[in-house]
């Protein structure tokens, strides 16, 4: 199931089938479609990682005297039906920001195999500045860490099962990530 395309309402329509399946492959090689609640159907315990999203508190100009961070998280709770089968997530460097937050839960709570390549390593809500002359720039406005508190920026989420595209696979129209995921689900 492509998490870049399927909305949570579409997933909910199929959730009983997904939960009962022997294996499920979620494709997260891109940006999720507001469907991170699917994680709740994988959790067995409540999410306790509520300090991974950090917004800096500045009250002085030029970012002087940082007063700390407003810390937050998603506070996900387990939900029914619980997905029982073998679960695999596909990912690569196209997965950034929201997709990385999503996959942080999968990695931290060991909810599924992650097949593919590392994510982009660029998470955090952006700030934008429009400049005279039609120019603009953006930058990350938050410090986002992995759920265990370790560095996320420039590291991203690492696959548990690394896979590289090959020239032969591209020439033959094969999806080597999906092939590996199918192999794992069928084991």
């Amino acid at each position: 199931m492509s998490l870049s395309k399927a909305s949570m309402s579409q997933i909910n329509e199929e959730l009983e089938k997904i939960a009962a399946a022997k294996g499920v492959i979620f494709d997260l090689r891109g940006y999720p479609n507001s469907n991170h609640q699917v994680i709740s159907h994988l959790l067995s315990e409540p999410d306790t990682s509520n300090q991974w999203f950090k917004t800096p508190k500045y009250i002085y100009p030029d970012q002087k005297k940082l007063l700390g961070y407003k810390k937050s998280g998603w506070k996900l709770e387990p939900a029914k039906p619980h997905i029982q089968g073998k679960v695999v997530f596909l990912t690569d460097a196209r997965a950034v920001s929201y997709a990385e937050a999503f996959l942080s839960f999968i990695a931290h709570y060991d909810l599924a195999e992650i097949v593919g390549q590392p994510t982009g390593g660029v998470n955090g809500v952006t700030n934008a500045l429009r400049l005279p002359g039609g120019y603009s720039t953006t930058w990350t406005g938050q410090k986002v860490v992995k759920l265990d508190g370790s560095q996320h920026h420039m590291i991203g989420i690492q696959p548990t099962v690394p896979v590289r595209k090959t020239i032969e696979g591209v020439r033959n129209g094969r999806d080597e990530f999906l092939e590996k995921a199918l192999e794992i689900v069928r084991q």
Side-chain angles (χ1 to χ4, degrees):
M1 171 174 288
S2 172
L3 293 174
S4 297
K5 295 178 182 172
S7 67
M8 197 62 215
S9 62
Q10 291 171 316
I11 293 169
N12 284 335
E13 289 174 12
E14 302 297 323
L15 203 47
E16 293 294 331
K17 291 179 190 173
I18 293 169
K22 290 183 181 179
V24 181
I25 300 170
F26 291 110
D27 192 339
L28 199 43
R29 293 177 282 186
Y31 205 81
N33 186 12
S34 299
N35 50 23
H36 71 274
Q37 282 301 125
V38 87
I39 299 166
S40 293
H41 297 279
L42 294 168
L43 288 173
S44 298
E45 305 269 327
D47 163 37
T48 58
S49 62
N50 60 358
Q51 297 191 21
W52 55 273
F53 197 73
K54 302 176 179 193
T55 305
K57 295 180 189 177
Y58 292 109
I59 61 170
Y60 298 101
D62 299 326
Q63 299 182 353
K64 302 287 186 198
K65 296 186 182 180
L66 174 65
L67 296 179
Y69 294 94
K70 176 184 175 194
K71 300 172 183 175
S72 59
W74 288 350
K75 300 178 184 174
L76 298 174
E77 294 285 333
K80 292 184 179 183
H82 183 77
I83 298 172
Q84 300 291 324
K86 185 77 172 174
V87 180
V88 176
F89 281 80
L90 304 179
T91 197
D92 61 16
R94 291 175 287 174
V96 297
S97 192
Y98 178 33
E100 293 180 294
F102 194 127
L103 286 169
S104 288
F105 282 83
I106 305 308
H108 181 75
Y109 291 112
D110 197 23
L111 300 175
E113 294 289 350
I114 301 173
V115 171
Q117 296 176 320
T119 62
V122 291
N123 197 354
V125 175
T126 58
N127 292 325
L129 174 65
R130 295 190 191 278
L131 301 167
Y135 296 99
S136 65
T137 187
T138 59
W139 66 95
T140 300
Q142 279 80 27
K143 178 180 181 180
V144 179
V145 295
K146 293 184 181 183
L147 274 59
D148 65 3
S150 65
Q151 179 181 337
H152 173 82
H153 186 70
M154 295 178 42
I155 295 172
I157 305 302
Q158 301 298 309
T160 56
V161 181
V163 176
R164 294 183 57 94
K165 283 185 179 182
T166 65
I167 292 172
E168 179 185 328
V170 172
R171 280 187 188 140
N172 294 323
R174 293 176 37 217
D175 185 339
E176 293 159 303
F177 291 25
L178 181 58
E179 289 172 5
K180 186 60 163 176
L182 286 167
E183 179 185 314
I184 291 167
V185 166
R186 290 177 178 147
Q187 288 177 352

